[in-house]
Amino acid sequence: MTLTASASAPGKIILFGEHAVVYGQPAIAVPLTAVSARAVVQPGQIPGRVLIVAANLGRTLVVRPEPQDGEHALVIAVRLLLEELGLPVPGLQVTVHSTIPVASGLGSGAAVTTALLRAVAEAVGAPLDAERLNGLVYEVEKLYHGTPSGIDNTVIVYERPVFFVRGEPIETFTASGQIDVLVADTGISSPTRIAVGDVRELVKSQPVVYSPVLEHIGAITREAREAIARGDVAALGALAVENHRLLQQLTVSCEALDRLVHAAIQVGATGAKLSGGGRGGNMIAFVRRGDLARVRDALRQAGAVRVLHTTIQAGDHHAGICQTGRLADYR
Ligand code: PMV
């Protein structure tokens, strides 16, 4: 046991299928390495206490040997890890820092938990394989989101693009050429749990209306997988527009997201949609290379607080296919 270690985890973006994925439809997501969470472990001053210095929250959380009422999700995360490993609470201090905006559809919660658990497991001399880590992060995601599909933890723990179907083995996907995606932040934080809960109410109260919407999103996602395989940016744009319209019907868009989607398309994006839980957070636009600067400027003018650029391209180390390319932050 070295009691020192560090680990990090990327953010993620959902390209297609959010919300419907909770109901068993497929979704497509990729890691977003321009933003990340990092955890650094040092030996602690107090035996039998893990201090979690959550830099972004401006708080220090304490994991004690006995569970307390109302513990923070990060405390519960460490407790679950130690239970899984069959270890008592060690004396550690973990500093956690994240550049991923919270509650904005980029997987902040799952990334912070992943970095934290990876670093603590390493420090106590019991590094976890991805499958076990993914299971633990999913348990913590439930505390944040209620009924998460598991897509966030899967993309973030495995750090690979996924074609994700709840409860099924992880599949990646193939890509042709290079597909450019801009990711723009409305600056509005919106807890996923609420949007997911509202959609659940809609589906429960009016299944005849909303089940076909979910199925339609699933069909779009399957078509998008083929369009990515062909490198067909025009088709992806059209599918994004259709997916966004269906997300509007599920009431998870908002004025700021619609404004950014519209602004991107007006200046040449092939299509755009909200990404993640919605009601704020981020949107994505599919853009031809020559139009990137223009679309980025239009997004800024329409109120985006940050625009990131990422690419999906063929030929990387993960299962032959991956998102590659450093992500340029156009902030
Ligand atoms: O807002 P995010 O990044 O947590 O994405 C949530 C994706 C949903 O499909 C809305 C919920 C889920 O658990 O899959």
Side-chain angles (χ1 to χ4, degrees):
M1 251 207 269
T2 60
L3 297 186
T4 58
S6 64
S8 56
K12 68 100 221 319
I13 44 170
I14 296 179
L15 299 178
F16 290 93
E18 51 275 270
H19 286 288
V21 69
V22 174
Y23 300 85
Q25 298 295 333
I28 295 174
V30 294
L32 185 68
T33 49
V35 285
S36 61
R38 184 170 166 76
V40 178
V41 185
Q42 296 164 305
Q45 307 291 332
I46 317 171
R49 298 274 187 285
V50 176
L51 302 190
I52 305 169
V53 182
N56 299 73
L57 300 176
R59 282 177 69 184
T60 297
L61 309 163
V62 185
V63 186
R64 297 168 201 277
E66 290 307 317
Q68 317 285 304
D69 286 343
E71 286 185 319
H72 191 279
L74 294 181
V75 172
I76 299 174
V78 172
R79 204 179 284 298
L80 286 173
L81 170 71
L82 295 170
E83 271 169 30
E84 166 90 10
L85 298 174
L87 292 175
V89 177
L92 294 179
Q93 175 161 322
V94 197
T95 305
V96 184
H97 179 79
S98 171
T99 59
I100 310 172
V102 196
S104 66
L106 298 185
S108 147
V112 168
T113 309
T114 300
L116 171 69
L117 297 189
R118 253 191 201 137
V120 173
E122 180 85 29
V124 298
L128 290 175
D129 64 30
E131 195 179 337
R132 273 172 99 192
L133 179 60
N134 195 31
L136 286 172
V137 180
Y138 180 62
E139 289 307 309
V140 181
E141 283 288 282
K142 284 188 197 163
L143 302 174
Y144 285 117
H145 294 329
T147 54
S149 63
I151 190 167
D152 281 21
N153 46 286
T154 301
V155 179
I156 287 168
V157 168
Y158 287 88
E159 277 184 62
R160 67 167 68 165
V162 294
F163 180 84
F164 179 89
V165 181
R166 193 169 187 171
E168 292 194 5
I170 298 161
E171 270 186 72
T172 191
F173 53 84
T174 56
S176 279
Q178 181 171 300
I179 298 161
D180 290 290
V181 181
L182 291 178
V183 184
D185 193 343
T186 60
I188 301 168
S189 60
S190 168
T192 300
R193 175 193 271 276
I194 295 177
V196 169
D198 289 352
V199 171
R200 190 183 314 112
E201 280 307 308
L202 285 181
V203 175
K204 215 169 87 184
S205 60
Q206 297 176 72
V208 177
V209 178
Y210 290 103
S211 295
V213 174
L214 300 173
E215 277 158 31
H216 194 169
I217 292 176
I220 286 173
T221 303
R222 282 185 283 271
E223 274 188 57
R225 180 189 208 176
E226 284 166 25
I228 292 171
R230 297 195 305 274
D232 189 341
V233 182
L236 283 169
L239 291 166
V241 169
E242 188 66 1
N243 195 162
H244 186 73
R245 195 180 60 76
L246 295 163
L247 288 163
Q248 284 173 323
Q249 288 178 22
L250 292 178
T251 75
V252 295
S253 191
C254 66
E255 197 269 327
L257 282 166
D258 291 346
R259 188 172 63 240
L260 294 183
V261 166
H262 182 72
I265 294 167
Q266 267 215 319
V267 297
T270 62
K273 61 180 276 296
L274 72 85
S275 177
R279 304 247 175 101
N282 281 267
M283 54 74 73
I284 57 169
F286 292 97
V287 184
R288 290 198 179 84
R289 182 124 286 205
D291 296 327
L292 278 170
R294 199 159 29 136
V295 175
R296 177 200 69 212
D297 290 348
L299 287 166
R300 292 300 310 256
Q301 271 164 25
V305 297
R306 174 166 60 176
V307 184
L308 300 171
H309 169 216
T310 186
T311 58
I312 307 160
Q313 69 183 32
D316 197 13
H317 49 290
H318 292 309
I321 305 297
C322 189
Q323 170 205 29
T324 59
R326 284 296 300 163
L327 304 167
D329 183 348
Y330 285 123
R331 188 196 295 260

